[in-house]
Amino acid sequence: MIWKSLALLALAASTVKALPRTPDTTTTNPANPTGSGTGTTGNNPSGTQLRGLLWSPTGTAPQTNPFDSQSQKFAWNYDGVYGPMPSLSGVEFVPMYHDTGANNGGQFLSKYPAGSQPSGVSYMLSLNEPDLSSEVPGVPMKVGDAVAAHVKTFGTNAKPSYGDTKIGSIAVCSNDDVNNQAIGLGYMKQWLTGCVDPQNDCKVDFMAVHWYPDNDDEGSIKSNVQSLTDHISNSCDAWNSIVKNKPCTVWLTEFGYGTGHYQGAQPAVQAEFLKQALPALAKVSNLERYAYFLAGPSDGQNFMQQPDDTIVPAYVGS
């Protein structure tokens, strides 16, 4: 979603025309009311959780995360990059490589040098939407380059860069291919095919995907919830058709009810979407974690900016 609209416009123009794993069998909680899935418990003893916080404010970051008062409601959190923003107190932070640029990828490698087991880090996320944008906004990264960048950073199954740390795939958008240019799951399939090639042997343990609707009106909520769960199912179908030695688990690292760049539907509509979407997501057996887009002030648009915003109670439970 980050840079989604701008990247899609540029893509169309360019073609002449998105802690150690601890099983829990006690009680359920609002993040996963049916107790299904394989999510982790994080620091929260109330039961298996899927819910994450993606908090990436623009401008100067405050000294503490404004969602600290809600930290018990989250199993994990990330800020879209390597960790410069204040993390939720006591909640697992998952660093992201994001891109190959010096500001993000370079800082990631400085903070997490290869050849070590990072303290307190059980999971890492790879490139963010290389199907839409590379270091040059709006110019997709070639699939082969995305494979090579992942291997260079995270290593291979035979020689992983970060020991036992679980590594996510690249995260792709939910759009269909544009003018025969592979994006979304089309791009992911090509990337996974490159990764399982013995010459590459990518270290990748789970699948990261994004989802946004084609329309975000209130009348489309029911059909969009179905589209969301179908997208996760289709993602696993893609994984299982290519990766034969690891079962499919999905992290929905971005999903939102908005169609534009940093623009969501009105808060009341987003809240209603979440009330219907979260119970549906809780029933998806291959879904391990999710994070709603976006928490944090983002150009004044309608997202979760403070714990008492309209959208937040629908996401974390009132």
Side-chain angles (χ1 to χ4, degrees), residues 215-224 257 269 272 276:
N215 54 73
D216 56 13
D217 59 274
E218 189 169 11
S220 300
I221 288 176
K222 184 177 180 180
S223 61
N224 278 325
Y257 209 60
V269 176
E272 182 56 35
Q276 296 186 39

PDB file of all heavy atoms in Angstrom, residues 215-224 257 269 272 276:
ATOM      1  N   ASN A 215     -12.855  -1.250  -4.314  1.00  0.00           N
ATOM      2  CA  ASN A 215     -13.748  -0.166  -3.903  1.00  0.00           C
ATOM      3  C   ASN A 215     -13.966  -0.290  -2.410  1.00  0.00           C
ATOM      4  O   ASN A 215     -13.903  -1.387  -1.847  1.00  0.00           O
ATOM      5  CB  ASN A 215     -15.083  -0.225  -4.659  1.00  0.00           C
ATOM      6  CG  ASN A 215     -15.751  -1.582  -4.533  1.00  0.00           C
ATOM      7  OD1 ASN A 215     -16.274  -1.919  -3.476  1.00  0.00           O
ATOM      8  ND2 ASN A 215     -15.729  -2.361  -5.599  1.00  0.00           N
ATOM      9  N   ASP A 216     -14.188   0.843  -1.750  1.00  0.00           N
ATOM     10  CA  ASP A 216     -14.252   0.831  -0.294  1.00  0.00           C
ATOM     11  C   ASP A 216     -15.547   1.449   0.242  1.00  0.00           C
ATOM     12  O   ASP A 216     -15.562   2.034   1.323  1.00  0.00           O
ATOM     13  CB  ASP A 216     -13.041   1.554   0.306  1.00  0.00           C
ATOM     14  CG  ASP A 216     -12.896   2.986  -0.203  1.00  0.00           C
ATOM     15  OD1 ASP A 216     -13.844   3.514  -0.818  1.00  0.00           O
ATOM     16  OD2 ASP A 216     -11.826   3.582   0.020  1.00  0.00           O
ATOM     17  N   ASP A 217     -16.638   1.302  -0.522  1.00  0.00           N
ATOM     18  CA  ASP A 217     -17.907   1.832  -0.031  1.00  0.00           C
ATOM     19  C   ASP A 217     -18.514   0.859   0.980  1.00  0.00           C
ATOM     20  O   ASP A 217     -18.172  -0.330   1.038  1.00  0.00           O
ATOM     21  CB  ASP A 217     -18.872   2.064  -1.195  1.00  0.00           C
ATOM     22  CG  ASP A 217     -19.145   0.788  -1.965  1.00  0.00           C
ATOM     23  OD1 ASP A 217     -18.343   0.487  -2.867  1.00  0.00           O
ATOM     24  OD2 ASP A 217     -20.122   0.087  -1.649  1.00  0.00           O
ATOM     25  N   GLU A 218     -19.433   1.358   1.771  1.00  0.00           N
ATOM     26  CA  GLU A 218     -20.020   0.565   2.839  1.00  0.00           C
ATOM     27  C   GLU A 218     -20.806  -0.623   2.293  1.00  0.00           C
ATOM     28  O   GLU A 218     -20.820  -1.706   2.890  1.00  0.00           O
ATOM     29  CB  GLU A 218     -20.932   1.442   3.699  1.00  0.00           C
ATOM     30  CG  GLU A 218     -21.430   0.772   4.960  1.00  0.00           C
ATOM     31  CD  GLU A 218     -22.096   1.748   5.906  1.00  0.00           C
ATOM     32  OE1 GLU A 218     -22.351   2.905   5.490  1.00  0.00           O
ATOM     33  OE2 GLU A 218     -22.366   1.367   7.060  1.00  0.00           O
ATOM     34  N   GLY A 219     -21.434  -0.453   1.128  1.00  0.00           N
ATOM     35  CA  GLY A 219     -22.237  -1.516   0.556  1.00  0.00           C
ATOM     36  C   GLY A 219     -21.437  -2.701   0.058  1.00  0.00           C
ATOM     37  O   GLY A 219     -22.008  -3.767  -0.217  1.00  0.00           O
ATOM     38  N   SER A 220     -20.119  -2.548  -0.068  1.00  0.00           N
ATOM     39  CA  SER A 220     -19.271  -3.619  -0.593  1.00  0.00           C
ATOM     40  C   SER A 220     -18.545  -4.390   0.506  1.00  0.00           C
ATOM     41  O   SER A 220     -17.714  -5.263   0.203  1.00  0.00           O
ATOM     42  CB  SER A 220     -18.238  -3.044  -1.565  1.00  0.00           C
ATOM     43  OG  SER A 220     -18.857  -2.406  -2.660  1.00  0.00           O
ATOM     44  N   ILE A 221     -18.831  -4.101   1.755  1.00  0.00           N
ATOM     45  CA  ILE A 221     -18.073  -4.706   2.852  1.00  0.00           C
ATOM     46  C   ILE A 221     -18.160  -6.230   2.817  1.00  0.00           C
ATOM     47  O   ILE A 221     -17.141  -6.934   2.891  1.00  0.00           O
ATOM     48  CB  ILE A 221     -18.541  -4.164   4.213  1.00  0.00           C
ATOM     49  CG1 ILE A 221     -18.068  -2.714   4.379  1.00  0.00           C
ATOM     50  CG2 ILE A 221     -18.003  -5.023   5.356  1.00  0.00           C
ATOM     51  CD1 ILE A 221     -18.553  -2.042   5.649  1.00  0.00           C
ATOM     52  N   LYS A 222     -19.358  -6.772   2.691  1.00  0.00           N
ATOM     53  CA  LYS A 222     -19.510  -8.232   2.735  1.00  0.00           C
ATOM     54  C   LYS A 222     -18.718  -8.911   1.628  1.00  0.00           C
ATOM     55  O   LYS A 222     -17.992  -9.888   1.868  1.00  0.00           O
ATOM     56  CB  LYS A 222     -20.986  -8.612   2.632  1.00  0.00           C
ATOM     57  CG  LYS A 222     -21.230 -10.110   2.758  1.00  0.00           C
ATOM     58  CD  LYS A 222     -22.721 -10.439   2.731  1.00  0.00           C
ATOM     59  CE  LYS A 222     -22.965 -11.935   2.849  1.00  0.00           C
ATOM     60  NZ  LYS A 222     -24.417 -12.266   2.829  1.00  0.00           N
ATOM     61  N   SER A 223     -18.835  -8.404   0.404  1.00  0.00           N
ATOM     62  CA  SER A 223     -18.109  -9.014  -0.711  1.00  0.00           C
ATOM     63  C   SER A 223     -16.608  -8.808  -0.574  1.00  0.00           C
ATOM     64  O   SER A 223     -15.812  -9.666  -0.973  1.00  0.00           O
ATOM     65  CB  SER A 223     -18.598  -8.449  -2.046  1.00  0.00           C
ATOM     66  OG  SER A 223     -18.375  -7.042  -2.129  1.00  0.00           O
ATOM     67  N   ASN A 224     -16.192  -7.697   0.024  1.00  0.00           N
ATOM     68  CA  ASN A 224     -14.767  -7.454   0.212  1.00  0.00           C
ATOM     69  C   ASN A 224     -14.170  -8.355   1.290  1.00  0.00           C
ATOM     70  O   ASN A 224     -13.006  -8.758   1.194  1.00  0.00           O
ATOM     71  CB  ASN A 224     -14.523  -5.981   0.547  1.00  0.00           C
ATOM     72  CG  ASN A 224     -14.485  -5.108  -0.698  1.00  0.00           C
ATOM     73  OD1 ASN A 224     -14.020  -5.531  -1.753  1.00  0.00           O
ATOM     74  ND2 ASN A 224     -14.975  -3.885  -0.582  1.00  0.00           N
ATOM     75  N   TYR A 257      -9.038  -0.764   4.481  1.00  0.00           N
ATOM     76  CA  TYR A 257     -10.261  -0.481   3.733  1.00  0.00           C
ATOM     77  C   TYR A 257     -10.141   0.899   3.116  1.00  0.00           C
ATOM     78  O   TYR A 257     -10.719   1.874   3.580  1.00  0.00           O
ATOM     79  CB  TYR A 257     -11.492  -0.595   4.626  1.00  0.00           C
ATOM     80  CG  TYR A 257     -12.727  -1.011   3.837  1.00  0.00           C
ATOM     81  CD1 TYR A 257     -12.742  -2.217   3.153  1.00  0.00           C
ATOM     82  CD2 TYR A 257     -13.839  -0.193   3.754  1.00  0.00           C
ATOM     83  CE1 TYR A 257     -13.844  -2.605   2.421  1.00  0.00           C
ATOM     84  CE2 TYR A 257     -14.952  -0.574   3.018  1.00  0.00           C
ATOM     85  CZ  TYR A 257     -14.947  -1.785   2.348  1.00  0.00           C
ATOM     86  OH  TYR A 257     -16.034  -2.164   1.607  1.00  0.00           O
ATOM     87  N   VAL A 269     -16.943   3.558   8.428  1.00  0.00           N
ATOM     88  CA  VAL A 269     -17.011   2.476   7.434  1.00  0.00           C
ATOM     89  C   VAL A 269     -15.870   1.486   7.675  1.00  0.00           C
ATOM     90  O   VAL A 269     -16.066   0.262   7.607  1.00  0.00           O
ATOM     91  CB  VAL A 269     -16.954   3.049   6.005  1.00  0.00           C
ATOM     92  CG1 VAL A 269     -16.931   1.932   4.967  1.00  0.00           C
ATOM     93  CG2 VAL A 269     -18.136   3.978   5.761  1.00  0.00           C
ATOM     94  N   GLU A 272     -16.782  -0.712  10.601  1.00  0.00           N
ATOM     95  CA  GLU A 272     -17.749  -1.755  10.251  1.00  0.00           C
ATOM     96  C   GLU A 272     -17.074  -2.864   9.456  1.00  0.00           C
ATOM     97  O   GLU A 272     -17.379  -4.053   9.657  1.00  0.00           O
ATOM     98  CB  GLU A 272     -18.902  -1.149   9.442  1.00  0.00           C
ATOM     99  CG  GLU A 272     -19.991  -2.151   9.065  1.00  0.00           C
ATOM    100  CD  GLU A 272     -20.599  -2.867  10.252  1.00  0.00           C
ATOM    101  OE1 GLU A 272     -20.739  -2.241  11.335  1.00  0.00           O
ATOM    102  OE2 GLU A 272     -20.930  -4.069  10.115  1.00  0.00           O
ATOM    103  N   GLN A 276     -16.605  -7.059  10.647  1.00  0.00           N
ATOM    104  CA  GLN A 276     -16.960  -8.220   9.850  1.00  0.00           C
ATOM    105  C   GLN A 276     -15.727  -9.021   9.414  1.00  0.00           C
ATOM    106  O   GLN A 276     -15.778 -10.247   9.294  1.00  0.00           O
ATOM    107  CB  GLN A 276     -17.759  -7.793   8.612  1.00  0.00           C
ATOM    108  CG  GLN A 276     -19.100  -7.162   8.939  1.00  0.00           C
ATOM    109  CD  GLN A 276     -19.925  -6.875   7.691  1.00  0.00           C
ATOM    110  OE1 GLN A 276     -19.938  -7.659   6.748  1.00  0.00           O
ATOM    111  NE2 GLN A 276     -20.621  -5.737   7.691  1.00  0.00           N
TER     112      GLN A 276
END
